[in-house]
Amino acid sequence: MTFDYDLFVIGAGPGGLAAAKKAATYGVRVAIAEQEDLGGTCVNRGCVPKKLIVYAADFALQNKMAHSYGWSDCPTYFDWTLFIKSVHKHLDSISESYLQQLQKAGIEIISERASFLDAHTISIGGRKVTADKILIAVGGQPLKPNIPGIEYAITSREMFQLPYLPKRLTIIGGGYIGVEFSSMMHAFGCQVTLIEKEEMILSGFDDDIRSTVQQALSKRGIKLFTNTTIQKIKYSEECLLLTINSESREIVAADTILVATGYNPNTKNLGLENARVELGENGAIKVDEENRTNQENIFAVGDCTSRIQLSSVAQAEGIAFANTVFANKPQKLNYDYVPSAVFSRPEAASVGMTEAKAREKFGESVKCYYSQFQPLFYQLTEKDKQGSIKLVVNGDSEEVLGAHMVGENAADIIQSLGVAIRKGVTKQELDETIGIHPTAGEEFLSLN
C-alpha cells in the first residue's frame, strides 16, 4: 500500500517536534499536525513563560536586599501588563522559529486537529490522509479536581492571560507548579495561600528537600495549609470563598484561585478507539520500551503516556523513536537519572534516588550525607537564607545514587552532577575533585 506520508505526527510539542525533525534527517516524508501554537504546553503555557516570570520576580527579591550591598532604596513599580506583552512577544518569536525549522526540513505543517479513522488513516481539516507510521505526542491537560465551585478556579494555562495581578491568590496543589507560582506571585506583592493535601509539599522529591523549601516559603510569608483538602468554592461579589478542612474547618478568601493538582493525558476525542490503541489509567497511552503502542505502526511519546511528565523527557523520547524506527539505531531511554527542578525561591533540584527509594532497594547499606549552608550572596543580609545539599550513597560500593539541593543555581549544579551520577561516580571521586571557590557547587565536594 502507498501512503501519503511515511510519518504523521499528532502534536507539535517538544516530543513531536523532536521526532519530526530527526525523522526528516533520515529522508522520511513527514507531516505534523497541531491545532494550537507550535511548541506545545512547555513553550506557550509552561516552562518558558514560567521561567520568564521567575526572572521578573527575582528583581523584586533582589531589590529588597540591595541596600545591604550599598544601593539606596528607591521606589519601583512593576507593570504586569507590559511584562506579559513582552513574554507573549517572545513566545511568538519561538513559534516562528519552529515554523522556519520545520519548513527548512521539508516537513508539512497542518494547523488542524487530527483524529484516527483507523490505524493508518487520519481525519484532519475535512480530509483523509494516510501514513505508514503515526506518532501521538499530544501532551497533557491540567487536571481539575471534582470540587463544588471548581469552575471558578483557573489553571496554569490561564495564569499567563491574567489582565492584572490578584491581591489575594490561593493555590490548590503543592507540586512544582503550585510551589513555583506561589514563590513568583508572592514576590510581586500578592498575598499567597498554598493548600496541599499531604503533610509536605513537592511529593516525589527527597523529604529533606521538601522540608527545606516548605520552611523557606513559610518564612517568606506564604501561608501554607498542609494535610488539607478543599470542601467547596463559593462565589461572592467581593471574592471567592474556599471552605477547607485542615485541623479545623476554615474559610479562605481569594481574588483568584489557581488549581495545580497535576495533568491528565490529552487523549480524548482522538478517535483512538478507531485505531484500537490501548489506554491505561487516566487515559494514558500504553507503550513499550520503544514507545510503540499495541498497534505495530502507532507510537506515543511525552505526557500522553504514563511516564515522566517533563518536556526534556518528551524530547528525548521523540529522538529515540526516530532513531529506532527510521535509522535502525535501537535506542531505549534510562529513566533512572532524569534530573528535575523547582524554580521557586529558594530553588530546588534533584537527580537519581531519594533516600526513601534508595532504602527500599538497598536497605541499611545506604549512607546519606547532608549539610545546610548559607550562600555567600545572603551573608551580607539579615535574612536567614539556608541552602542545603544531600548525597544518597550505596555504602557497599560508595556509588552515588542521588543528589539533591536547595539553593542558588541548584538546577544547573544538579544538571552537571547528573552526568557523573549516571556514569557511576563514587563518593570518594567527588571528595577528590577540586571545586571552584566560592561557589555553592563546591559544597558537594566536601560533604562529611
Side-chain angles (χ1 to χ4, degrees):
M1 179 178 177
T2 301
F3 297 100
D4 297 319
Y5 304 100
D6 300 314
L7 171 64
F8 194 97
V9 181
I10 304 176
L17 287 171
K21 289 189 288 185
K22 176 58 72 171
T25 65
Y26 298 130
V28 173
R29 295 174 300 151
V30 184
I32 188 166
E34 175 56 63
Q35 63 177 347
E36 296 190 284
D37 294 327
L38 297 177
T41 296
C42 177
V43 168
N44 298 289
R45 301 173 295 278
C47 324
V48 175
K50 185 177 60 181
K51 191 66 179 291
L52 292 172
I53 295 180
V54 170
Y55 291 146
D58 280 347
F59 285 105
L61 295 176
Q62 291 173 9
N63 281 344
K64 292 179 181 179
M65 295 180 287
H67 69 278
S68 297
Y69 279 85
W71 292 91
S72 299
D73 292 333
C74 59
T76 57
Y77 171 74
F78 176 66
D79 190 329
W80 169 262
T81 303
L82 177 63
F83 167 66
I84 286 297
K85 284 182 179 178
S86 298
V87 169
H88 286 294
K89 183 178 180 180
H90 177 65
L91 301 184
D92 289 342
S93 71
I94 296 176
S95 184
E96 179 62 27
S97 174
Y98 283 141
L99 177 62
Q100 293 175 6
Q101 292 172 29
L102 294 174
Q103 290 173 337
K104 185 177 181 180
I107 298 168
E108 183 177 347
I109 307 153
I110 307 173
S111 300
E112 301 280 354
R113 180 175 178 82
S115 62
F116 283 90
L117 295 176
D118 59 44
H120 285 281
T121 309
I122 296 291
S123 173
I124 185 161
R127 64 188 177 104
K128 298 178 183 179
V129 298
T130 59
D132 182 18
K133 303 290 190 299
I134 299 173
L135 175 68
I136 307 169
V138 292
Q141 57 184 343
L143 171 66
K144 277 191 172 184
N146 187 18
I147 299 169
I150 195 65
E151 66 272 16
Y152 299 118
I154 66 173
T155 67
S156 56
R157 183 185 183 100
E158 292 80 40
M159 283 295 291
F160 306 109
Q161 306 294 335
L162 287 177
Y164 53 85
L165 287 173
K167 182 178 179 181
R168 296 166 297 183
L169 172 67
T170 295
I171 300 173
I172 303 173
Y176 72 93
I177 293 177
V179 168
E180 288 173 339
F181 272 114
S182 71
S183 175
M184 292 182 285
M185 303 308 277
H186 181 267
F188 292 140
C190 300
Q191 298 174 20
V192 178
T193 300
L194 179 62
I195 299 171
E196 167 57 38
K197 64 181 180 179
E198 295 188 11
E199 184 178 354
M200 286 194 294
I201 60 175
L202 297 177
S203 175
F205 282 81
D206 188 89
D207 283 352
D208 284 319
I209 300 305
R210 299 172 70 186
S211 176
T212 302
V213 174
Q214 183 164 309
Q215 291 174 23
L217 293 180
S218 182
K219 286 181 179 178
R220 281 183 56 191
I222 296 168
K223 190 170 185 179
L224 277 81
F225 288 96
T226 56
N227 286 327
T228 300
T229 56
I230 312 296
Q231 188 177 50
K232 63 181 179 179
I233 299 171
K234 183 179 179 180
Y235 173 83
S236 73
E237 292 185 2
E238 294 80 18
C239 63
L240 298 170
L241 300 172
L242 296 87
T243 302
I244 64 173
N245 293 321
S246 54
E247 295 179 354
S248 61
R249 183 171 171 175
E250 295 188 41
I251 304 294
V252 176
D255 302 305
T256 300
I257 299 172
L258 167 63
V259 177
T261 51
Y263 278 73
N264 269 345
N266 193 23
T267 53
K268 292 183 179 180
N269 303 317
L270 283 177
L272 294 175
E273 66 281 1
N274 297 330
R276 298 182 180 180
V277 172
E278 188 176 354
L279 301 179
E281 187 178 358
N282 297 324
I285 299 173
K286 291 185 176 181
V287 292
D288 62 17
E289 291 181 333
E290 294 184 343
N291 302 296
R292 191 186 306 269
T293 69
N294 60 306
Q295 299 299 319
E296 186 71 17
N297 72 301
I298 300 176
F299 302 77
V301 298
D303 291 0
C304 62
T305 69
S306 58
R307 296 173 298 197
I308 300 174
Q309 293 186 330
L310 290 172
S311 59
S312 54
V313 171
Q315 184 178 36
E317 289 172 348
I319 293 171
F321 152 77
N323 287 337
T324 300
V325 174
F326 297 109
N328 196 27
K329 299 177 182 177
Q331 183 180 352
K332 297 177 182 179
L333 296 189
N334 183 346
Y335 295 92
D336 292 337
Y337 300 104
V338 176
S340 58
V342 183
F343 294 107
S344 57
R345 294 296 181 260
E347 188 169 286
S350 294
V351 65
M353 290 186 181
T354 64
E355 179 180 350
K357 288 292 184 182
R359 293 198 184 282
E360 282 181 15
K361 184 172 183 178
F362 297 102
E364 294 302 315
S365 67
V366 171
K367 293 181 181 178
C368 291
Y369 300 83
Y370 179 74
S371 175
Q372 287 190 317
F373 63 98
Q374 188 176 35
L376 180 61
F377 178 75
Y378 295 104
Q379 290 182 14
L380 291 186
T381 73
E382 297 177 357
K383 295 184 179 296
D384 181 25
K385 289 284 186 178
Q386 291 291 325
S388 67
I389 55 175
K390 183 175 184 177
L391 286 177
V392 181
V393 177
N394 183 336
D396 294 333
S397 64
E398 285 295 299
E399 181 181 352
V400 178
L401 303 172
H404 313 278
M405 179 176 178
V406 176
E408 59 178 350
N409 303 317
D412 293 311
I413 293 168
I414 289 296
Q415 174 77 83
S416 299
L417 271 177
V419 178
I421 293 173
R422 184 172 177 269
K423 291 296 183 180
V425 70
T426 66
K427 177 64 167 62
Q428 181 179 350
E429 288 171 330
L430 287 182
D431 292 342
E432 293 172 351
T433 300
I434 298 173
I436 299 173
H437 183 74
T439 62
E442 68 176 323
E443 301 288 337
F444 275 107
L445 310 179
S446 57
L447 276 173
N448 296 315

